[in-house]
Amino acid sequence: MKTPVYLLLFLLVLSPAFAYAASQTISVETNASSYEKGSPITISGLITNYDESDPNEVYEIALKIIAPNNNIVTIDQIKPNPGGTYSISVNTEGASWKLNGDYTVMVNYAAQTASITFTFIIPEVAAAEAEAAEAEAAEAEAAEAAAEKCGEGTHLED
């Protein structure tokens, strides 16, 4: 008989802690939807129902930025402000920032998780890709023009 009573008391004592943890959420946003290499990325957000009065319940925010190939390009920890807000500026000059494409920002606070995606562009690569596409189009156009000069059943050499 004592065991069920103790179990019930134990659950009643823990239920406010579970309710409090479940009522917290974290959000994340970036200041733009796309960036070029070298431009800073400002990441910010809010932890709802943030309460810093209990130091055992205050955590740092874990931040990860994942590249299109699933490599981690940035990892950091952020201390929330007293109101539950946070903000960090991330430099994109490093060697890890080497791919064009969609990058994912992931933040974790306790058991809460949020993410957002942005597009990253490396200007030199974009220009090189555009030049390659133009050269390919010019080649196709030249081949088409050469084919028009030949009569039916003949082909153009040199």
Side-chain angles (χ1 to χ4, degrees):
M1 182 69 179
K2 289 183 183 181
T3 305
V5 172
Y6 288 130
L7 180 62
L8 182 60
L9 287 174
F10 178 73
L11 292 175
L12 287 174
V13 169
L14 287 182
S15 63
F18 289 127
Y20 176 75
S23 67
Q24 283 186 318
T25 59
I26 187 168
S27 66
V28 62
E29 59 186 45
T30 56
N31 61 328
S33 60
S34 67
Y35 300 89
E36 286 188 0
K37 185 161 179 90
S39 62
I41 302 169
T42 301
I43 299 167
S44 59
L46 171 70
I47 302 164
T48 59
N49 299 325
Y50 179 74
D51 180 15
E52 63 181 339
S53 63
D54 184 359
N56 292 326
E57 294 296 321
V58 175
Y59 311 100
E60 288 193 345
I61 299 164
L63 167 86
K64 285 192 300 188
I65 300 179
I66 311 293
N69 63 356
N70 287 328
N71 285 348
I72 297 173
V73 293
T74 298
I75 192 163
D76 205 346
Q77 285 186 285
I78 310 163
K79 183 172 174 42
N81 297 322
T85 62
Y86 66 93
S87 181
I88 187 170
S89 182
V90 177
N91 182 357
T92 61
E93 284 291 334
S96 298
W97 297 87
K98 59 186 174 186
L99 297 175
N100 282 319
D102 292 337
Y103 285 64
T104 303
V105 177
M106 297 176 68
V107 292
N108 296 73
Y109 180 79
Q112 308 305 316
T113 302
S115 66
I116 191 169
T117 303
F118 64 87
T119 302
F120 187 70
I121 302 165
I122 302 173
E124 311 85 61
V125 173
E129 288 173 355
E131 285 178 20
E134 285 177 26
E136 190 175 301
E139 235 178 73
E141 199 174 291
E144 191 176 300
E148 289 176 6
K149 289 182 182 179
C150 295
E152 193 174 316
T154 63
H155 68 277
L156 182 66
E157 287 186 17
D158 297 329

